[in-house]
Amino acid sequence: MCGNEEKMILLTSDGITSPQLEEEIKKALVPISRRAALVTTASCRYKEKDHNVPVLSALMRRFGLEPECVDVEFQDATFLLAYDVVILMGGNPFYLRKHLKKWKNSLEVLTELANRHVLIGISAGSMVLGDTMEFACQIEPGGIEEVGENVDCSGFGIVPLNIMPHYLAYLTAYEQTKEILESYEEETGRKICTINDGDGIIISQAGKKGRYIKDERYTPIVAPDMPEYQAYFFDLYGTLIDIHTEEGDHELWEFMAKYYAYKGAKYGSWELRWRYGALIHDEEERLLHENPKQIPEPQVERVFMRLYEEKGVRVSIQEAVDAAQVFRSFSLRYVRLYYGAKELLAHLKKKDKKLYVLSNAQQVFTASELRYLGIYDYFDKVCLSSDYHCKKPDAAYFKALLTSEGLDPAKVMMIGNSEYDDIRTAKALGMGACYIHSNLSPEGETANCDIVMRAMDLPSLEKILCREAHLA
């Protein structure tokens, strides 16, 4: 076991994902530490098959520990005292609490683990160690529904903190997250401690206050000599807007086949899907033939029009647009602003900056989504690739906007989440550039430019662009 000097509680959002957190664990381990328990209970659907199990197992072995999966849904919590390191993994916090609580001595076991072992919480595992999880019920009630009736939202009170993990991610996914947490704190007098992915809180002993460990890998990198730009080109998806579509979903194509049949154009679902892909390619080839030097971007409404025409059905262009928008709405799982997007745009406008959209996107999809999200009117001009028949990283697309607005490239910054699509061409044209690594960026990608946001954090970007943060 860990000796009295080698004990620690580590509360995390997404696991031991930073060098700083790994180093803290190394400090807490003693040479005789041998075993680590991965408590998979909260991952109620996957258990030992949870995707984090092999990641954590590999990490524990690097520390010289032998990892084993433990499930307190079926194993007495006392069994955890046999391990030097205990990791309460993520998932449904109410499910984890329910099955820990059914063992009469669970509070004593957790207290012993906190005082004499290394106890690590990941997301749900961090939450159950606090005093309450009531606030989580208001943000994501689905977690309660999964457990059943008469759910107890209290925690075990092992730490003097109430943990809200994945904070920035929740601010994007659930619009009212911040207001709900602030209201809860005001009504109850209980303080909620938010943790972002990559970060953690170290507590030396149960009941003691902790210190916040920030993942330095996500700190923005800002060129010290960065000028103040007068105009900004924004990419949309992955930069200001988080989106997920399922265009490969078979149900989508079955629905669209029925939609076309109502107009007299009869397709099987697989035939329609195949013809759609073939016509996209055909439109790209047509545009490439017209201008071999450009990267082609077809107008998707032409494809939906041709799908009618192939079955001998004549429709108006508006009917083709309608078909395209039905397709988009059925395939769309969610579309939402990243937290801080609207505030960033509003602050830049207040400083009299010119704002433009330069996005690889379809007019028939994106214009409506910009209005729905409430940011269309922040922009001086919205440029969507389908209107220009070419797309990023084609320099012609960048130049078209620069020329039409009479902009000096040296006074314009491109802000985007793709080094290939957004950053390279902007730099080649003498523009400034800001790279944001978001959930929609290619994995492992980075960039060398004025600003590198190594994680999605638009509030921090707002401070940098509006000169409210130290540039270093």
Side-chain angles (χ1 to χ4, degrees):
M1 298 295 173
C2 296
N4 287 336
E5 301 303 319
E6 291 76 28
K7 52 185 177 289
M8 178 183 72
I9 305 170
L10 170 60
L11 308 175
T12 75
S13 176
D14 63 339
I16 308 156
T17 55
S18 75
Q20 293 93 332
L21 295 181
E22 287 192 26
E23 192 59 35
E24 292 293 337
I25 294 174
K26 288 179 184 177
K27 292 177 185 177
L29 296 176
V30 295
I32 61 172
S33 298
R34 289 289 181 270
R35 303 173 71 196
L38 310 183
V39 182
T40 62
T41 309
S43 184
C44 44
R45 297 182 184 178
Y46 303 103
K47 300 288 188 175
E48 71 278 2
K49 295 182 180 179
D50 186 282
H51 70 281
N52 284 310
V53 168
V55 176
L56 289 168
S57 295
L59 181 61
M60 291 300 105
R61 290 191 180 99
R62 289 213 310 270
F63 290 151
L65 302 168
E66 186 56 38
E68 298 173 21
C69 288
V70 177
D71 187 355
V72 295
E73 182 174 356
F74 307 106
Q75 294 169 275
D76 192 313
T78 307
F79 191 61
L80 297 175
L81 295 174
Y83 295 88
D84 305 285
V85 177
V86 174
I87 303 176
L88 302 177
M89 292 176 56
N92 187 326
F94 307 107
Y95 196 86
L96 174 59
R97 187 213 175 280
K98 172 184 177 181
H99 289 292
L100 274 170
K101 194 71 174 179
K102 72 183 180 185
W103 305 110
K104 293 182 179 179
N105 61 344
S106 56
L107 178 59
E108 290 77 9
V109 169
L110 289 173
T111 302
E112 175 74 5
L113 290 172
N115 287 330
R116 299 183 59 82
H117 301 243
V118 175
L119 178 60
I120 301 171
I122 299 176
S123 190
S126 296
M127 295 176 72
V128 299
L129 296 176
D131 182 48
T132 182
M133 300 181 290
E134 287 178 333
F135 54 89
C137 306
Q138 300 176 41
I139 296 171
E140 197 174 11
I144 294 179
E145 295 169 4
E146 196 170 33
V147 176
E149 298 180 356
N150 303 319
V151 175
D152 190 338
C153 295
S154 65
F156 285 93
I158 302 298
V159 298
L161 301 169
N162 298 303
I163 301 299
M164 179 66 205
H166 316 294
Y167 182 56
L168 276 176
Y170 269 97
L171 289 174
T172 293
Y174 299 94
E175 190 174 348
Q176 302 302 316
T177 295
K178 186 176 181 181
E179 289 77 9
I180 289 173
L181 295 182
E182 289 177 348
S183 176
Y184 181 83
E185 288 181 329
E186 184 177 345
E187 292 174 3
T188 65
R190 288 172 165 168
K191 179 68 177 175
I192 298 170
C193 183
T194 60
I195 309 180
N196 292 320
D197 290 351
D199 299 347
I201 297 174
I202 299 287
I203 300 175
S204 61
Q205 192 173 355
K208 301 294 184 180
K209 291 185 177 180
R211 57 189 173 92
Y212 197 94
I213 306 294
K214 188 169 180 61
D215 188 348
E216 295 176 358
R217 296 174 304 165
Y218 295 153
T219 303
I221 301 173
V222 185
D225 56 349
M226 182 183 74
E228 185 167 355
Y229 294 98
Q230 302 306 311
Y232 296 90
F233 288 3
F234 282 92
D235 173 57
L236 289 178
Y237 302 111
T239 300
L240 294 175
I241 299 173
D242 187 17
I243 190 170
H244 180 65
T245 61
E246 289 286 355
E247 294 187 1
D249 186 358
H250 184 62
E251 289 186 4
L252 165 66
W253 295 102
E254 287 185 329
F255 175 82
M256 290 306 299
K258 293 176 184 177
Y259 182 89
Y260 266 77
Y262 269 89
K263 298 286 188 177
K266 294 184 179 180
Y267 284 96
S269 58
W270 287 107
E271 178 193 10
L272 181 61
R273 181 176 180 178
W274 172 69
R275 289 307 302 155
Y276 173 81
L279 290 175
I280 288 284
H281 178 72
D282 188 63
E283 284 292 309
E284 289 175 341
E285 289 295 313
R286 180 182 64 82
L287 292 173
L288 194 58
H289 179 74
E290 292 176 1
N291 194 333
K293 294 183 179 180
Q294 290 188 350
I295 301 174
E297 177 77 307
Q299 292 178 320
V300 74
E301 62 266 32
R302 283 182 55 89
V303 172
F304 284 97
M305 173 73 83
R306 291 180 63 182
L307 286 169
Y308 281 117
E309 292 172 348
E310 285 195 351
K311 295 296 184 178
V313 177
R314 295 177 62 86
V315 297
S316 66
I317 186 62
Q318 184 56 53
E319 287 175 297
V321 169
D322 290 345
Q325 292 179 336
V326 167
F327 173 85
R328 176 67 157 196
S329 62
F330 197 97
S331 66
L332 189 64
R333 297 298 178 265
Y334 62 77
V335 59
R336 59 202 182 196
L337 293 175
Y338 287 111
Y339 179 71
K342 194 173 290 187
E343 292 78 5
L344 167 62
L345 297 173
H347 200 160
L348 289 172
K349 289 299 287 185
K350 187 177 181 180
K351 292 178 73 69
D352 296 321
K353 304 299 182 182
K354 294 288 186 179
L355 306 183
Y356 303 91
V357 168
L358 189 75
S359 181
N360 289 349
Q362 292 290 323
Q363 173 68 229
V364 296
F365 299 159
T366 302
S368 297
E369 290 167 2
L370 287 172
R371 291 187 176 94
Y372 164 73
L373 294 169
I375 60 172
Y376 190 97
D377 292 334
Y378 284 109
F379 298 102
D380 294 270
K381 187 172 185 177
V382 173
C383 293
L384 304 175
S385 54
S386 65
D387 291 337
Y388 291 77
H389 305 299
C390 67
K391 61 184 178 181
K392 298 178 294 183
D394 197 324
Y397 188 25
F398 288 76
K399 289 177 180 178
L401 179 53
L402 289 168
T403 302
S404 68
E405 297 299 299
L407 297 169
D408 178 357
K411 297 180 179 180
V412 181
M413 170 178 274
M414 178 72 216
I415 300 175
N417 74 304
S418 171
E419 193 274 339
Y420 177 73
D421 284 341
D422 302 311
I423 307 305
R424 289 187 192 180
T425 305
K427 290 177 64 178
L429 293 174
M431 300 169 61
C434 167
Y435 171 75
I436 302 174
H437 191 82
S438 74
N439 59 313
L440 299 181
S441 298
E443 187 174 352
E445 184 183 66
T446 187
N448 180 20
C449 50
D450 290 306
I451 304 171
V452 177
M453 304 295 296
R454 295 183 284 184
M456 173 54 69
D457 186 356
L458 294 183
S460 292
L461 180 59
E462 177 189 346
K463 292 179 181 179
I464 294 168
L465 294 180
C466 297
R467 303 285 163 159
E468 296 178 358
H470 176 65
L471 304 183

mmCIF file of all heavy atoms in Angstrom, residues 35 37-41 47-48 68-80 83 99-103 105-106 109:
data_model
loop_
_atom_site.group_PDB
_atom_site.id
_atom_site.type_symbol
_atom_site.label_atom_id
_atom_site.label_comp_id
_atom_site.label_asym_id
_atom_site.label_seq_id
_atom_site.Cartn_x
_atom_site.Cartn_y
_atom_site.Cartn_z
ATOM 1 N N ARG A 35 -0.537 -2.592 -7.535
ATOM 2 C CA ARG A 35 -1.802 -2.902 -8.210
ATOM 3 C C ARG A 35 -2.666 -1.654 -8.388
ATOM 4 O O ARG A 35 -2.693 -0.777 -7.528
ATOM 5 C CB ARG A 35 -2.578 -3.955 -7.423
ATOM 6 C CG ARG A 35 -1.822 -5.242 -7.180
ATOM 7 C CD ARG A 35 -2.610 -6.148 -6.256
ATOM 8 N NE ARG A 35 -3.793 -6.715 -6.908
ATOM 9 C CZ ARG A 35 -4.799 -7.283 -6.259
ATOM 10 N NH1 ARG A 35 -4.791 -7.327 -4.939
ATOM 11 N NH2 ARG A 35 -5.823 -7.785 -6.916
ATOM 12 N N ALA A 37 -6.722 -0.553 -9.587
ATOM 13 C CA ALA A 37 -8.085 -0.972 -9.911
ATOM 14 C C ALA A 37 -8.729 0.048 -10.843
ATOM 15 O O ALA A 37 -8.758 1.244 -10.545
ATOM 16 C CB ALA A 37 -8.915 -1.104 -8.642
ATOM 17 N N LEU A 38 -9.251 -0.423 -11.963
ATOM 18 C CA LEU A 38 -10.007 0.422 -12.885
ATOM 19 C C LEU A 38 -11.482 0.110 -12.635
ATOM 20 O O LEU A 38 -11.986 -0.933 -13.058
ATOM 21 C CB LEU A 38 -9.640 0.129 -14.339
ATOM 22 C CG LEU A 38 -8.139 0.101 -14.704
ATOM 23 C CD1 LEU A 38 -7.975 -0.129 -16.195
ATOM 24 C CD2 LEU A 38 -7.454 1.376 -14.260
ATOM 25 N N VAL A 39 -12.169 0.996 -11.942
ATOM 26 C CA VAL A 39 -13.567 0.764 -11.581
ATOM 27 C C VAL A 39 -14.443 1.192 -12.754
ATOM 28 O O VAL A 39 -14.620 2.383 -13.027
ATOM 29 C CB VAL A 39 -13.940 1.525 -10.298
ATOM 30 C CG1 VAL A 39 -15.386 1.230 -9.912
ATOM 31 C CG2 VAL A 39 -12.995 1.138 -9.155
ATOM 32 N N THR A 40 -15.016 0.229 -13.437
ATOM 33 C CA THR A 40 -15.726 0.468 -14.696
ATOM 34 C C THR A 40 -17.232 0.642 -14.516
ATOM 35 O O THR A 40 -17.951 0.784 -15.493
ATOM 36 C CB THR A 40 -15.492 -0.701 -15.661
ATOM 37 O OG1 THR A 40 -16.020 -1.909 -15.069
ATOM 38 C CG2 THR A 40 -14.012 -0.895 -15.950
ATOM 39 N N THR A 41 -17.730 0.674 -13.292
ATOM 40 C CA THR A 41 -19.173 0.642 -13.020
ATOM 41 C C THR A 41 -19.942 1.753 -13.723
ATOM 42 O O THR A 41 -21.035 1.526 -14.258
ATOM 43 C CB THR A 41 -19.418 0.719 -11.510
ATOM 44 O OG1 THR A 41 -18.610 -0.274 -10.859
ATOM 45 C CG2 THR A 41 -20.875 0.485 -11.183
ATOM 46 N N LYS A 47 -18.698 -1.181 -19.608
ATOM 47 C CA LYS A 47 -17.915 -1.796 -18.525
ATOM 48 C C LYS A 47 -16.441 -1.970 -18.935
ATOM 49 O O LYS A 47 -15.800 -1.014 -19.350
ATOM 50 C CB LYS A 47 -18.548 -3.130 -18.138
ATOM 51 C CG LYS A 47 -19.990 -3.002 -17.646
ATOM 52 C CD LYS A 47 -20.075 -2.373 -16.269
ATOM 53 C CE LYS A 47 -21.499 -2.435 -15.738
ATOM 54 N NZ LYS A 47 -21.626 -1.960 -14.364
ATOM 55 N N GLU A 48 -15.925 -3.213 -18.859
ATOM 56 C CA GLU A 48 -14.506 -3.435 -19.147
ATOM 57 C C GLU A 48 -14.152 -3.234 -20.616
ATOM 58 O O GLU A 48 -12.974 -3.166 -20.976
ATOM 59 C CB GLU A 48 -14.064 -4.839 -18.700
ATOM 60 C CG GLU A 48 -14.598 -5.981 -19.547
ATOM 61 C CD GLU A 48 -16.016 -6.390 -19.167
ATOM 62 O OE1 GLU A 48 -16.609 -5.765 -18.262
ATOM 63 O OE2 GLU A 48 -16.528 -7.345 -19.780
ATOM 64 N N GLU A 68 -6.255 -3.901 -13.105
ATOM 65 C CA GLU A 68 -7.331 -4.889 -13.129
ATOM 66 C C GLU A 68 -8.666 -4.147 -13.131
ATOM 67 O O GLU A 68 -8.825 -3.153 -12.427
ATOM 68 C CB GLU A 68 -7.263 -5.803 -11.901
ATOM 69 C CG GLU A 68 -5.982 -6.619 -11.800
ATOM 70 C CD GLU A 68 -5.896 -7.377 -10.489
ATOM 71 O OE1 GLU A 68 -6.959 -7.598 -9.857
ATOM 72 O OE2 GLU A 68 -4.778 -7.742 -10.079
ATOM 73 N N CYS A 69 -9.621 -4.644 -13.909
ATOM 74 C CA CYS A 69 -10.958 -4.054 -13.934
ATOM 75 C C CYS A 69 -11.770 -4.560 -12.743
ATOM 76 O O CYS A 69 -11.763 -5.758 -12.444
ATOM 77 C CB CYS A 69 -11.675 -4.394 -15.233
ATOM 78 S SG CYS A 69 -11.031 -3.517 -16.676
ATOM 79 N N VAL A 70 -12.453 -3.631 -12.083
ATOM 80 C CA VAL A 70 -13.302 -3.965 -10.935
ATOM 81 C C VAL A 70 -14.661 -3.312 -11.179
ATOM 82 O O VAL A 70 -14.745 -2.172 -11.642
ATOM 83 C CB VAL A 70 -12.699 -3.444 -9.617
ATOM 84 C CG1 VAL A 70 -13.637 -3.726 -8.445
ATOM 85 C CG2 VAL A 70 -11.327 -4.060 -9.379
ATOM 86 N N ASP A 71 -15.737 -4.026 -10.858
ATOM 87 C CA ASP A 71 -17.081 -3.496 -11.045
ATOM 88 C C ASP A 71 -17.854 -3.629 -9.742
ATOM 89 O O ASP A 71 -18.233 -4.737 -9.341
ATOM 90 C CB ASP A 71 -17.802 -4.253 -12.169
ATOM 91 C CG ASP A 71 -19.136 -3.641 -12.536
ATOM 92 O OD1 ASP A 71 -19.559 -2.691 -11.856
ATOM 93 O OD2 ASP A 71 -19.754 -4.114 -13.510
ATOM 94 N N VAL A 72 -18.095 -2.496 -9.072
ATOM 95 C CA VAL A 72 -18.771 -2.546 -7.772
ATOM 96 C C VAL A 72 -20.274 -2.784 -7.911
ATOM 97 O O VAL A 72 -20.977 -2.874 -6.898
ATOM 98 C CB VAL A 72 -18.518 -1.256 -6.961
ATOM 99 C CG1 VAL A 72 -17.056 -1.124 -6.594
ATOM 100 C CG2 VAL A 72 -19.014 -0.021 -7.703
ATOM 101 N N GLU A 73 -20.759 -2.943 -9.120
ATOM 102 C CA GLU A 73 -22.138 -3.395 -9.285
ATOM 103 C C GLU A 73 -22.264 -4.844 -8.810
ATOM 104 O O GLU A 73 -23.324 -5.264 -8.353
ATOM 105 C CB GLU A 73 -22.572 -3.274 -10.741
ATOM 106 C CG GLU A 73 -24.021 -3.678 -10.987
ATOM 107 C CD GLU A 73 -24.505 -3.416 -12.394
ATOM 108 O OE1 GLU A 73 -23.744 -2.840 -13.206
ATOM 109 O OE2 GLU A 73 -25.656 -3.778 -12.690
ATOM 110 N N PHE A 74 -21.153 -5.577 -8.925
ATOM 111 C CA PHE A 74 -21.176 -7.007 -8.580
ATOM 112 C C PHE A 74 -20.141 -7.376 -7.517
ATOM 113 O O PHE A 74 -20.223 -8.451 -6.930
ATOM 114 C CB PHE A 74 -20.913 -7.844 -9.837
ATOM 115 C CG PHE A 74 -21.826 -7.507 -10.976
ATOM 116 C CD1 PHE A 74 -21.368 -6.791 -12.072
ATOM 117 C CD2 PHE A 74 -23.167 -7.880 -10.946
ATOM 118 C CE1 PHE A 74 -22.212 -6.469 -13.132
ATOM 119 C CE2 PHE A 74 -24.020 -7.563 -11.998
ATOM 120 C CZ PHE A 74 -23.546 -6.851 -13.093
ATOM 121 N N GLN A 75 -19.170 -6.499 -7.248
ATOM 122 C CA GLN A 75 -18.115 -6.800 -6.280
ATOM 123 C C GLN A 75 -18.207 -5.831 -5.112
ATOM 124 O O GLN A 75 -18.364 -4.614 -5.295
ATOM 125 C CB GLN A 75 -16.738 -6.692 -6.948
ATOM 126 C CG GLN A 75 -16.496 -7.749 -8.028
ATOM 127 C CD GLN A 75 -15.249 -7.450 -8.846
ATOM 128 O OE1 GLN A 75 -15.291 -6.689 -9.814
ATOM 129 N NE2 GLN A 75 -14.137 -8.062 -8.473
ATOM 130 N N ASP A 76 -18.056 -6.339 -3.920
ATOM 131 C CA ASP A 76 -18.116 -5.529 -2.703
ATOM 132 C C ASP A 76 -17.055 -4.432 -2.770
ATOM 133 O O ASP A 76 -15.907 -4.663 -3.157
ATOM 134 C CB ASP A 76 -17.860 -6.420 -1.484
ATOM 135 C CG ASP A 76 -18.183 -5.719 -0.177
ATOM 136 O OD1 ASP A 76 -17.760 -4.567 -0.002
ATOM 137 O OD2 ASP A 76 -18.859 -6.333 0.667
ATOM 138 N N ALA A 77 -17.443 -3.216 -2.364
ATOM 139 C CA ALA A 77 -16.515 -2.078 -2.415
ATOM 140 C C ALA A 77 -15.273 -2.311 -1.569
ATOM 141 O O ALA A 77 -14.200 -1.763 -1.859
ATOM 142 C CB ALA A 77 -17.240 -0.811 -1.958
ATOM 143 N N THR A 78 -15.382 -3.142 -0.524
ATOM 144 C CA THR A 78 -14.223 -3.432 0.330
ATOM 145 C C THR A 78 -13.069 -4.013 -0.479
ATOM 146 O O THR A 78 -11.894 -3.861 -0.122
ATOM 147 C CB THR A 78 -14.625 -4.419 1.448
ATOM 148 O OG1 THR A 78 -15.769 -3.918 2.135
ATOM 149 C CG2 THR A 78 -13.492 -4.615 2.441
ATOM 150 N N PHE A 79 -13.406 -4.662 -1.573
ATOM 151 C CA PHE A 79 -12.396 -5.277 -2.425
ATOM 152 C C PHE A 79 -11.390 -4.247 -2.931
ATOM 153 O O PHE A 79 -10.237 -4.576 -3.225
ATOM 154 C CB PHE A 79 -13.117 -5.942 -3.608
ATOM 155 C CG PHE A 79 -12.250 -6.838 -4.442
ATOM 156 C CD1 PHE A 79 -11.641 -7.948 -3.907
ATOM 157 C CD2 PHE A 79 -12.023 -6.553 -5.793
ATOM 158 C CE1 PHE A 79 -10.842 -8.774 -4.671
ATOM 159 C CE2 PHE A 79 -11.222 -7.365 -6.570
ATOM 160 C CZ PHE A 79 -10.634 -8.486 -6.015
ATOM 161 N N LEU A 80 -11.794 -2.969 -3.008
ATOM 162 C CA LEU A 80 -10.921 -1.917 -3.536
ATOM 163 C C LEU A 80 -9.741 -1.626 -2.616
ATOM 164 O O LEU A 80 -8.709 -1.115 -3.063
ATOM 165 C CB LEU A 80 -11.725 -0.625 -3.755
ATOM 166 C CG LEU A 80 -12.849 -0.702 -4.789
ATOM 167 C CD1 LEU A 80 -13.635 0.595 -4.805
ATOM 168 C CD2 LEU A 80 -12.272 -0.980 -6.178
ATOM 169 N N TYR A 83 -6.002 -2.532 -3.409
ATOM 170 C CA TYR A 83 -5.251 -1.889 -4.496
ATOM 171 C C TYR A 83 -4.536 -0.636 -4.002
ATOM 172 O O TYR A 83 -5.013 0.083 -3.126
ATOM 173 C CB TYR A 83 -6.190 -1.520 -5.643
ATOM 174 C CG TYR A 83 -6.793 -2.730 -6.316
ATOM 175 C CD1 TYR A 83 -7.971 -3.298 -5.841
ATOM 176 C CD2 TYR A 83 -6.171 -3.318 -7.422
ATOM 177 C CE1 TYR A 83 -8.523 -4.419 -6.444
ATOM 178 C CE2 TYR A 83 -6.715 -4.434 -8.034
ATOM 179 C CZ TYR A 83 -7.887 -4.973 -7.544
ATOM 180 O OH TYR A 83 -8.426 -6.083 -8.153
ATOM 181 N N HIS A 99 -24.501 2.019 -7.137
ATOM 182 C CA HIS A 99 -23.914 0.702 -6.857
ATOM 183 C C HIS A 99 -22.817 0.760 -5.802
ATOM 184 O O HIS A 99 -22.563 -0.244 -5.128
ATOM 185 C CB HIS A 99 -23.422 0.084 -8.160
ATOM 186 C CG HIS A 99 -24.551 -0.331 -9.054
ATOM 187 N ND1 HIS A 99 -25.392 -1.366 -8.749
ATOM 188 C CD2 HIS A 99 -25.002 0.192 -10.226
ATOM 189 C CE1 HIS A 99 -26.312 -1.487 -9.692
ATOM 190 N NE2 HIS A 99 -26.102 -0.554 -10.599
ATOM 191 N N LEU A 100 -22.188 1.911 -5.618
ATOM 192 C CA LEU A 100 -21.273 2.052 -4.494
ATOM 193 C C LEU A 100 -22.065 2.085 -3.184
ATOM 194 O O LEU A 100 -21.684 1.463 -2.193
ATOM 195 C CB LEU A 100 -20.449 3.335 -4.631
ATOM 196 C CG LEU A 100 -19.169 3.267 -5.467
ATOM 197 C CD1 LEU A 100 -18.610 4.660 -5.697
ATOM 198 C CD2 LEU A 100 -18.109 2.382 -4.810
ATOM 199 N N LYS A 101 -23.171 2.825 -3.205
ATOM 200 C CA LYS A 101 -23.950 3.050 -1.984
ATOM 201 C C LYS A 101 -24.595 1.774 -1.450
ATOM 202 O O LYS A 101 -24.861 1.663 -0.237
ATOM 203 C CB LYS A 101 -25.042 4.085 -2.274
ATOM 204 C CG LYS A 101 -25.708 4.666 -1.043
ATOM 205 C CD LYS A 101 -24.766 5.587 -0.277
ATOM 206 C CE LYS A 101 -25.486 6.286 0.864
ATOM 207 N NZ LYS A 101 -24.581 7.155 1.613
ATOM 208 N N LYS A 102 -24.848 0.802 -2.324
ATOM 209 C CA LYS A 102 -25.547 -0.408 -1.853
ATOM 210 C C LYS A 102 -24.669 -1.244 -0.923
ATOM 211 O O LYS A 102 -25.176 -2.091 -0.181
ATOM 212 C CB LYS A 102 -26.028 -1.241 -3.034
ATOM 213 C CG LYS A 102 -24.934 -1.961 -3.815
ATOM 214 C CD LYS A 102 -25.529 -2.684 -5.012
ATOM 215 C CE LYS A 102 -24.474 -3.417 -5.811
ATOM 216 N NZ LYS A 102 -25.043 -4.018 -7.037
ATOM 217 N N TRP A 103 -23.341 -0.995 -0.960
ATOM 218 C CA TRP A 103 -22.448 -1.670 -0.014
ATOM 219 C C TRP A 103 -22.394 -0.816 1.255
ATOM 220 O O TRP A 103 -22.044 0.359 1.222
ATOM 221 C CB TRP A 103 -21.060 -1.841 -0.620
ATOM 222 C CG TRP A 103 -21.086 -2.567 -1.946
ATOM 223 C CD1 TRP A 103 -20.830 -2.041 -3.166
ATOM 224 C CD2 TRP A 103 -21.417 -3.929 -2.161
ATOM 225 N NE1 TRP A 103 -20.971 -2.981 -4.143
ATOM 226 C CE2 TRP A 103 -21.334 -4.167 -3.561
ATOM 227 C CE3 TRP A 103 -21.784 -4.999 -1.325
ATOM 228 C CZ2 TRP A 103 -21.598 -5.415 -4.125
ATOM 229 C CZ3 TRP A 103 -22.045 -6.239 -1.884
ATOM 230 C CH2 TRP A 103 -21.946 -6.438 -3.266
ATOM 231 N N ASN A 105 -20.524 -0.370 3.722
ATOM 232 C CA ASN A 105 -19.289 0.269 4.178
ATOM 233 C C ASN A 105 -18.642 1.134 3.093
ATOM 234 O O ASN A 105 -17.456 1.455 3.182
ATOM 235 C CB ASN A 105 -18.296 -0.797 4.648
ATOM 236 C CG ASN A 105 -17.928 -1.748 3.522
ATOM 237 O OD1 ASN A 105 -18.620 -1.809 2.497
ATOM 238 N ND2 ASN A 105 -16.855 -2.504 3.708
ATOM 239 N N SER A 106 -19.392 1.518 2.057
ATOM 240 C CA SER A 106 -18.777 2.223 0.921
ATOM 241 C C SER A 106 -18.158 3.554 1.324
ATOM 242 O O SER A 106 -17.081 3.914 0.845
ATOM 243 C CB SER A 106 -19.810 2.440 -0.181
ATOM 244 O OG SER A 106 -20.938 3.142 0.311
ATOM 245 N N VAL A 109 -14.901 2.892 3.012
ATOM 246 C CA VAL A 109 -13.910 2.439 2.033
ATOM 247 C C VAL A 109 -13.349 3.617 1.251
ATOM 248 O O VAL A 109 -12.124 3.753 1.087
ATOM 249 C CB VAL A 109 -14.539 1.405 1.061
ATOM 250 C CG1 VAL A 109 -13.604 1.148 -0.119
ATOM 251 C CG2 VAL A 109 -14.834 0.115 1.794
#
